[in-house]
Amino acid sequence: MSDFLEMIKPYVIEDMRKSGILASLTASQAKIESGSGTSGLTKKANNFFGIKGIYNGQFVEMMTSEWRNGRYERVLAKFKKYPTFAESLADQSG
């Protein structure tokens, strides 16, 4: 098993207990969307899933591509910044 999966294992198991979503599904999605935890967003904001918005007043701004008027545009967007991985997982499952 990869180091990333070992690292998030306790978090996804706890999330499964609370949400009923299989830990394997959440772990797989987190691994894919965060580049095994190496994405800039994951490193800066504990955000595995690219969830936009503000979390308890916290966010990071990053460039992203948005589909607007029939084409992609680069925009500066706010992404939720979580204090720990657990909040990122819970927000995704909620």
Side-chain angles (χ1 to χ4, degrees):
M1 185 179 297
S2 77
D3 291 340
F4 175 75
L5 294 177
E6 280 297 319
M7 187 262 307
I8 67 166
K9 183 177 178 179
Y11 299 104
V12 295
I13 290 172
E14 180 60 25
D15 184 69
M16 180 176 67
R17 288 187 184 121
K18 293 177 180 176
S19 70
I21 298 171
L22 292 175
S24 58
L25 294 175
T26 302
S28 297
Q29 183 181 5
K31 181 176 173 61
I32 291 166
E33 292 196 32
S34 73
S36 295
T38 64
S39 76
L41 183 59
T42 300
K43 289 179 178 181
K44 290 180 183 178
N46 292 318
N47 187 331
F48 289 128
F49 307 103
I51 301 172
K52 292 180 183 161
I54 300 170
Y55 184 83
N56 292 336
Q58 299 295 305
F59 64 92
V60 295
E61 289 186 315
M62 298 185 77
M63 293 301 293
T64 189
S65 295
E66 298 285 341
W67 185 256
R68 295 183 178 167
N69 302 316
R71 64 184 180 91
Y72 282 104
E73 295 180 15
R74 297 288 291 161
V75 298
L76 186 63
K78 291 180 180 175
F79 291 86
K80 293 181 179 183
K81 182 177 181 180
Y82 300 100
T84 70
F85 297 138
E87 286 88 358
S88 177
L89 295 166
D91 200 15
Q92 174 70 2
S93 297

